[in-house]
Amino acid sequence: MSGARHLYVHLPFCAYRCGYCDFVTLVGRRGQHAAYTDAVLAELELERPLLAGELDTVFLGGGTPTFLEAQSLARLLDVLPAAEELTIEANPETITPELARCLRLHGVTRVSLGAQSFQPHLLEVLERRATPDAVRRAFYHLRDASFDNISLDLIYGIPGQSAADLERDLEAAIALEPEHLSLYELEAKPGTRFTHAHGAELSRQAEAMEHYLERVVHVLRSAGYRWYETANFCLEPGRAGGRDLRSRHNLAYWQGRDYLGLGIGAVSTIADRRWRNAPRLRPYLDALAAGRRPPREVEPLPPDVRVRERALLGLRLDLPLALGSVDSALDHDALARMQALALVERRGENGSGTIALTERGRFLGDAVAAELIA
Ligand SMILES: C[S@@+](CC[C@H](N)C(=O)[O-])C[C@H]1O[C@@H](n2cnc3c(N)ncnc32)[C@H](O)[C@@H]1O
Ligand code: SF4
């Protein structure tokens, strides 16, 4: 085995908790940031044999990685293996000119900035701390530190968000000229405080939103962005000096490549196994301080499961999927039906052929892909 070329590190700490968030996060805990960093680095040493000699991508996700106490963050960045793409997720209010320079100095090549919206009333609904001006300021601090690959996260489907609000958010995001944009439809988990508070508005919103994705795609394409994955857009190479600005880390995931995840709640997929570290901090710290692997759930991944996943994830991309690599996962009757409905396009013969969702199929997204899987 040649080893995984993609590394994810989960940094769970946040200054506060946003009502809609369902990620593994911990509020504050300044006193534990150094110990967590030690534990992550100890886990890296235990799992290093699973990694390739050279990595393609490292992704620091959260939580709020840029909330990690500065010394710990610098130490982590110094010790993690080098990679061509090193992304960090950042909350706007954490980005000072000093931190932006420090990230650049320590090898970060790409920043994914959680803007979510540029409308004060929607940021309030999401319980965000950063104002629209703080988002812009953070963006400029990153540019001043010579970051030339910045992604903005936006959420749509926020309770109370009108179609005009969405247009204004897209306009404000485009005005900053980011290299990459992720547009996530708000997921509100049943039973959470957020769903409780906004339940009625959320169901109204679901109906109003039927054409939001079409609008997002139209506006961003008109501004020169490529819709390369269901929720992701990057500047066309012609607008970006020939650079391919797709997220290489996420692309690897959508293409079914192996990756190693470190930290609480982190998932790893390597060869025929997937494991997820338990989300609790104390058992994670204790296990690694004692030189043991943290508690985790391991599941076998037989080849047919990996092929099914590759088909489901691969169909999210704007590239044709080689039939040879996913044929065994497909329901061929469903495929014929979807072709007749012009939701899927098939090219070439079985062995060397490809399938891809048509434009209409892509708007229906995962529903079409799920139908195609046997
Ligand atoms: C792992 S979060 C961390 C980012 C960072 N802490 C922040 O809040 O900006 C990455 C992105 O996931 C998206 N996200 C988080 N919760 C979501 C939800 N419930 N529905 C849709 N998107 C969500 C947000 O756009 C967020 O920027
Ligand atoms: S800051 Fe980001 S990770 Fe933290 S609670 Fe808010 S959305 Fe979740």
Side-chain angles (χ1 to χ4, degrees):
M1 195 180 71
S2 53
R5 305 185 67 86
H6 307 280
L7 176 66
Y8 174 81
V9 181
H10 192 71
L11 300 171
F13 307 105
C14 293
Y16 52 93
R17 188 167 176 82
C18 314
Y20 60 93
C21 180
D22 193 40
F23 287 92
V24 173
T25 62
L26 295 166
V27 174
R29 314 275 190 122
R30 283 285 188 196
Q32 285 174 308
H33 292 196
Y36 186 78
T37 305
D38 291 340
V40 164
L41 293 176
E43 192 184 9
L44 171 65
E45 278 323 301
L46 288 175
E47 307 300 0
R48 204 181 270 275
L50 297 173
L51 288 175
E54 283 181 19
L55 300 193
D56 287 344
T57 68
V58 173
F59 192 105
L60 306 190
T64 307
T66 48
F67 176 67
L68 195 72
E69 176 264 316
Q71 261 185 338
S72 295
L73 185 55
R75 186 156 61 93
L76 189 66
L77 287 169
D78 281 343
V79 178
L80 287 176
E84 284 184 24
E85 180 189 276
L86 198 177
T87 304
I88 191 164
E89 284 183 339
N91 281 39
E93 68 280 6
T94 60
I95 298 292
T96 59
E98 297 72 42
L99 183 68
R101 279 196 298 273
C102 168
L103 295 176
R104 197 77 189 107
L105 209 66
H106 285 85
V108 175
T109 65
R110 184 172 181 274
V111 180
S112 173
L113 192 62
Q116 321 310 353
S117 171
F118 288 87
Q119 317 297 309
H121 68 289
L122 298 178
L123 290 168
E124 204 171 303
V125 171
L126 291 175
E127 301 170 21
R128 300 287 292 178
R129 292 239 172 127
T131 60
D133 280 343
V135 176
R136 291 188 187 93
R137 256 196 315 275
F139 192 92
Y140 296 135
H141 291 332
L142 293 168
R143 279 285 190 247
D144 289 346
S146 73
F147 277 102
D148 63 359
N149 196 352
I150 307 178
S151 181
L152 287 182
D153 285 350
L154 291 180
I155 292 183
Y156 64 96
I158 304 165
Q161 182 187 35
S162 65
D165 284 327
L166 176 63
E167 299 279 343
R168 278 192 281 271
D169 271 348
L170 293 172
E171 207 176 294
I174 290 168
L176 290 173
E177 301 181 18
E179 282 70 26
H180 187 282
L181 281 154
S182 299
L183 268 291
Y184 298 115
E185 181 178 338
L186 178 69
E187 259 186 75
K189 290 264 153 46
T192 60
R193 181 167 56 85
F194 187 80
T195 308
H196 203 66
H198 302 287
E201 187 51 38
L202 279 165
S203 14
R204 261 201 302 280
Q205 191 73 353
E207 281 173 34
M209 260 172 37
E210 208 181 314
H211 299 293
Y212 275 24
L213 182 58
E214 276 95 327
R215 200 59 209 147
V216 166
V217 170
H218 173 77
V219 171
L220 292 183
R221 274 186 176 156
S222 308
Y225 289 86
R226 167 179 171 188
W227 182 29
Y228 75 95
E229 193 271 346
T230 311
N232 285 280
F233 301 79
C234 64
L235 267 187
E236 292 282 0
R239 300 276 312 270
R243 287 195 298 159
D244 179 355
L245 289 164
R246 292 174 297 173
S247 157
R248 286 178 59 175
H249 186 83
N250 290 334
L251 207 52
Y253 168 75
W254 294 314
Q255 291 176 332
R257 308 232 192 283
D258 284 355
Y259 57 89
L260 176 68
L262 306 174
I264 59 171
V267 177
S268 302
T269 300
I270 295 195
D272 57 359
R273 283 192 319 153
R274 171 169 298 149
W275 60 94
R276 182 179 199 267
N277 288 345
R280 289 187 43 226
L281 183 62
R282 180 44 58 198
Y284 180 82
L285 297 180
D286 288 349
L288 285 151
R292 283 182 278 108
R293 290 196 161 77
R296 60 200 204 178
E297 276 174 25
V298 185
E299 61 171 306
L301 272 185
D304 60 312
V305 175
R306 285 207 80 161
V307 173
R308 268 207 298 277
E309 288 185 356
R310 199 171 308 141
L312 272 174
L313 293 171
L315 286 168
R316 293 177 64 92
L317 297 171
D318 65 349
L319 298 173
L321 199 53
L323 260 176
S325 66
V326 295
D327 199 37
S328 59
L330 299 178
D331 173 338
H332 285 264
D333 291 338
L335 178 56
R337 276 199 311 277
M338 297 288 144
Q339 275 182 271
L341 291 168
L343 295 172
V344 176
E345 189 178 20
R346 181 176 176 162
R347 292 218 172 131
E349 291 309 309
N350 278 358
S352 56
T354 61
I355 56 165
L357 299 192
T358 60
E359 184 90 347
R360 255 183 84 204
R362 292 188 77 199
F363 283 120
L364 298 173
D366 289 346
V368 177
E371 192 81 7
L372 287 175
I373 307 302

